[in-house]
Amino acid sequence: VLSTRGAEYMGSAKTTCDKMASGSSVVDGLMMSSRVAELKTKMENFLNLHYYPRERELYEHSSPSNASRWSIHPLMEELKAKAKAEGLWNLFLPLDSDKDKKYGYGLTNLEYAYLAEVTGRSPWIPEIFNCAAPDTGNMEVLVRYGTEAQKEKWLRPLLDGTIRSAFAMTERAVASSDATNIRTSIKRQGDKYVINGRKWYISGASDPRCEILIVLGLSGDDNTPTHQRHSMILCPMRTKGVTVLRPLTVFGYDDAPHGHVEMVFDNVEVPLDCMLLGEGRGFEIAQGRLGPGRIHHCMRAVGSAERALELMCIRSISRKAFGKPLAAQGTVQADIANSRMEIDQARLLTLKAAAMMDSVGNKVARAEIAMIKVVAPNVALRVIDRAIQIHGAAGVSGDYILAVLFAGARALRIADGPDEVHRTTVATAELRKYRNQRSRL
C-alpha cells in the first residue's frame, strides 16, 4: 500500500490478497472451480512476493513530477517476464471466443471474474498478467473477427506482450455515449481506406509500445440502416496522418505511461485488408467485444473496493480519536459494515452476470450486464470515499493509493457507457415483462 512512511501499512499490503472477502466463492452455481482457485492463489502469492513490496516504484514513476514518466519502468517488464514464466499470462480470453484454447487458458467468464478481482487491487496489476484494457478487448476482437493475416501481424505480439494497442472511439464533438453519433469517416478510395476525424480520451495511445489502433468510424451514409453505418478498422499507430495532439488527465492524473490522448486522423491511408469483418459491421463487433470487458471492469472495481475496505479497517484499528480507537466509533463501524455488505452484493451480481453470459449468452444477459456496470463502480466509489474519510488528509494525498483508486472508479461511471445508458437498458428490460399485463389491483 502506498505510504511514504511505509511501516504502518506495507506489512499489510504483502498479505492483503489473503484477506479476500469470506463467502465470495460459496454461493451455489457461482463457486470457483479448483483450477481457478489454484490460479487465484498463485496470483496472490506472486503479488505478495514480487509486486506489493515494490508498488511504490511504479506509483512514483507515473507521477507528474517525473519527467521520464512516459517511458516504461524496467520493473514492469521484469514483473511481466516473471508472470509469463509462471504461467500467469493471458488469463482473460473467454472460452467462447477461444474454444480450442489456442490463445489462452480457456476460462469461462465466471472463472476469470474471480481473477479479475485480484487484478483490480492496483492500477498496475492487470498489465503484469497481460490482462489490461484496452488490449484485452482488442485481442478478443482479433480472435473473434480477425483474418489469419491480421492475427499473425497484430494478435501474436499483443499476446506476447511485446506491443500494446488502443481503441479509438470517443469524440469530443458529439455525445459518444450514443455510438451512432460517431462522425470520424472511413471511406474507401480505390485500393485503400482513408480515415479522417478527431478522437479524444483514447486510452493507451500515449504508451511508446502502442503499435495498433482499432478505429470506429462512419463508413455508410444516410441511406444506410443506422446500425450498419459504422465500421471498425485496424490502423497502425505510426501511419502518416495519425497525430497525438495532447495527453489528457482524469482528475489531474495523466496515467503515464499508458495515458489518454486527443488525436487526429488526417487523410490516414490504410490497406483494404485492415477492415475488420466487413464494412458496416462495427456495431456487430462492438456487441461481441463489450460483454466480457464489462465483467472485467466490474470485478476490478470490486477488487479496488476490497483494498479500500482493508485500508479502512487497518486505519480505524490503529488510530485513536476522542479517547478511543476509530474502530470503536459507531459511525466508523457503520461505514465498515455498509462497505462489506455492498461489496458482497456487487460481487455476487457480477458473478451472476458472468454465469449468465456463459450459460445463455450475452444477448440474454444484457440487462444483468447493464446492472453490474452501474452497481460495481458506484459501490467502489462509496467504499473508497469512506476509506478516504477515515484516513483524513492522508486519504486525498499522494502518499496512499486511495485517491488513484477513487479517480479510476469515478471515471468508470462514464467509460464503457455512462450509468444513464445502462439504467435505460435495465428499465427497458424490466418494463418489457409487463407490457401485456393489467394491474391486479
Side-chain angles (χ1 to χ4, degrees):
V1 175
L2 297 167
S3 169
T4 51
R5 289 173 292 119
E8 180 179 3
Y9 287 106
M10 193 57 73
S12 106
K14 294 173 73 174
T15 58
T16 194
C17 282
D18 299 328
K19 299 179 180 178
M20 301 293 284
S22 60
S24 65
S25 64
V26 298
V27 177
D28 288 346
L30 302 179
M31 292 182 68
M32 265 190 264
S33 65
S34 58
R35 175 175 62 158
V36 171
E38 182 179 340
L39 279 170
K40 179 172 171 289
T41 298
K42 195 172 179 180
M43 287 175 70
E44 292 167 350
N45 290 340
F46 180 96
L47 295 171
N48 288 334
L49 180 63
H50 300 297
Y51 174 74
Y52 287 117
R54 301 183 67 183
E55 182 180 52
R56 185 81 201 180
E57 294 177 43
L58 294 177
Y59 179 79
E60 292 180 345
H61 180 74
S62 69
S63 170
S65 63
N66 179 20
S68 63
R69 67 188 182 282
W70 296 107
S71 64
I72 307 305
H73 195 290
L75 175 59
M76 178 56 74
E77 296 303 322
E78 176 189 327
L79 291 171
K80 286 168 62 178
K82 288 179 179 178
K84 193 172 185 179
E86 293 191 22
L88 297 172
W89 194 254
N90 292 333
L91 304 167
F92 68 92
L93 200 60
L95 182 60
D96 65 348
S97 295
D98 185 24
K99 291 182 172 60
D100 297 328
K101 303 180 184 179
K102 184 177 180 181
Y103 304 109
Y105 267 78
L107 300 176
T108 65
N109 287 295
L110 175 61
E111 287 178 319
Y112 180 66
Y114 284 103
L115 307 183
E117 179 176 344
V118 177
T119 69
R121 302 175 72 81
S122 175
W124 299 280
I125 291 176
E127 186 184 347
I128 294 170
F129 303 115
N130 211 37
C131 293
D135 296 334
T136 49
N138 291 341
M139 284 188 270
E140 187 174 0
V141 164
L142 287 165
V143 169
R144 281 179 175 263
Y145 308 109
T147 64
E148 289 306 313
Q150 289 168 346
K151 291 176 183 177
E152 186 62 31
K153 187 169 185 178
W154 302 116
L155 177 61
R156 285 295 178 188
L158 282 168
L159 288 167
D160 289 341
T162 55
I163 69 170
R164 297 208 64 187
S165 63
F167 183 67
M169 174 185 162
T170 313
E171 297 177 7
R172 183 173 186 169
V174 299
S176 301
S177 56
D178 177 358
T180 63
N181 287 330
I182 297 301
R183 287 295 173 264
T184 291
S185 65
I186 302 173
K187 300 300 181 184
R188 181 169 179 168
Q189 294 182 8
D191 62 351
K192 60 183 179 290
Y193 286 102
V194 179
I195 308 170
N196 281 285
R198 189 180 185 120
K199 302 282 189 180
W200 83 329
Y201 277 98
I202 308 307
S203 298
S206 294
D207 194 307
R209 300 161 299 176
C210 181
E211 295 291 342
I212 187 66
L213 307 166
I214 294 180
V215 182
L216 178 69
L218 185 66
S219 56
D221 56 29
D222 291 343
N223 296 319
T224 310
T226 302
H227 289 93
Q228 295 174 23
R229 293 177 185 173
H230 292 77
S231 301
M232 287 193 192
I233 195 164
L234 294 165
C235 178
M237 185 70 184
R238 316 300 169 193
T239 306
K240 182 181 178 181
V242 176
T243 304
V244 172
L245 297 178
R246 58 171 177 149
L248 301 168
T249 61
V250 178
F251 290 107
Y253 295 104
D254 59 21
D255 294 332
H258 181 66
H260 319 278
V261 307
E262 184 171 7
M263 62 194 308
V264 166
F265 296 83
D266 184 12
N267 290 318
V268 175
E269 299 180 359
V270 297
L272 296 180
D273 60 8
C274 285
M275 180 61 66
L276 284 164
L277 195 59
E279 287 189 35
R281 303 184 74 175
F283 284 99
E284 181 181 344
I285 296 171
Q287 290 308 306
R289 183 185 194 272
L290 289 176
R294 285 172 181 159
I295 296 293
H296 305 174
H297 279 312
C298 292
M299 286 304 285
R300 283 195 294 264
V302 170
S304 295
E306 276 289 354
R307 191 168 186 190
L309 177 56
E310 290 173 8
L311 294 178
M312 195 189 316
C313 291
I314 293 167
R315 181 79 168 190
S316 66
I317 290 170
S318 63
R319 290 297 179 100
K320 288 185 177 180
F322 305 105
K324 57 183 179 181
L326 293 178
Q329 309 282 354
T331 56
V332 173
Q333 291 181 353
D335 282 348
I336 290 169
N338 287 331
S339 297
R340 166 49 56 217
M341 291 185 284
E342 291 172 11
I343 290 172
D344 285 0
Q345 289 167 0
R347 178 188 292 109
L348 288 171
L349 185 59
T350 307
L351 294 176
K352 176 193 173 186
M356 287 186 66
M357 288 169 60
D358 292 332
S359 61
V360 296
N362 295 8
K363 187 174 182 179
V364 177
R366 186 182 178 195
E368 283 72 19
I369 295 170
M371 290 178 205
I372 64 171
K373 185 55 180 60
V374 175
V375 170
N378 279 281
V379 164
L381 270 176
R382 289 196 294 272
V383 174
I384 297 166
D385 183 67
R386 292 168 188 145
I388 288 172
Q389 194 71 12
I390 287 174
H391 278 74
V396 297
S397 75
D399 292 354
Y400 296 83
I401 201 170
L402 290 169
V404 174
L405 296 180
F406 185 90
R410 183 60 186 84
L412 189 54
R413 289 191 55 210
I414 301 170
D416 214 358
D419 289 3
E420 292 77 10
V421 170
H422 296 297
R423 284 193 172 99
T424 298
T425 298
V426 174
T428 301
E430 195 67 18
L431 289 167
R432 189 179 296 121
K433 302 173 186 177
Y434 303 101
R435 283 213 177 117
N436 297 320
Q437 294 185 29
R438 294 183 179 180
S439 173
R440 296 191 179 109
L441 296 178

